[in-house]
Amino acid sequence: MTTVLILLIYAVKYYTYALIVYIFMSWVPSIQQSSFGQFLGKICEPYLEPFRKIIPPIGMIDISPIVAIFVLNIAIRGIISLVSFF
């Protein structure tokens, strides 16, 4: 059981890294239009979309990815507490 939870922790951490890369790629549209950028868009946009519906942008700054990463970090902490429980 703990092995599955540890693998889940790593998966969530790698997804967090993918979100960070995707956010930085949004600053350079030519990179975002590449095949790698489109791949990350297919992975990251379904997760970011509910946050963007709830949290409106402040001017030209979209803070919803920050909240999304914060939620992922809370999930990692919850999984870590489950690992320590078992």
Side-chain angles (χ1 to χ4, degrees):
M1 180 69 167
T2 57
T3 307
V4 173
L5 291 175
I6 291 171
L7 288 173
L8 187 61
I9 289 170
Y10 283 122
V12 173
K13 282 185 180 183
Y14 289 136
Y15 190 73
T16 303
Y17 298 143
L19 279 173
I20 292 170
V21 169
Y22 183 69
I23 291 165
F24 284 132
M25 286 176 59
S26 70
W27 293 351
V28 183
S30 62
I31 296 174
Q32 198 172 17
Q33 299 300 324
S34 68
S35 61
F36 180 69
Q38 291 177 353
F39 171 73
L40 277 181
K42 288 179 184 177
I43 293 173
C44 297
E45 281 299 325
Y47 178 69
L48 292 173
E49 187 176 338
F51 292 101
R52 287 186 175 140
K53 288 181 181 177
I54 296 171
I55 304 167
I58 300 172
M60 293 184 61
I61 300 173
D62 185 15
I63 62 168
S64 59
I66 297 169
V67 176
I69 291 172
F70 182 71
V71 168
L72 283 177
N73 284 331
I74 291 173
I76 289 173
R77 290 176 190 253
I79 296 169
I80 288 172
S81 67
L82 282 176
V83 169
S84 65
F85 179 72
F86 289 111

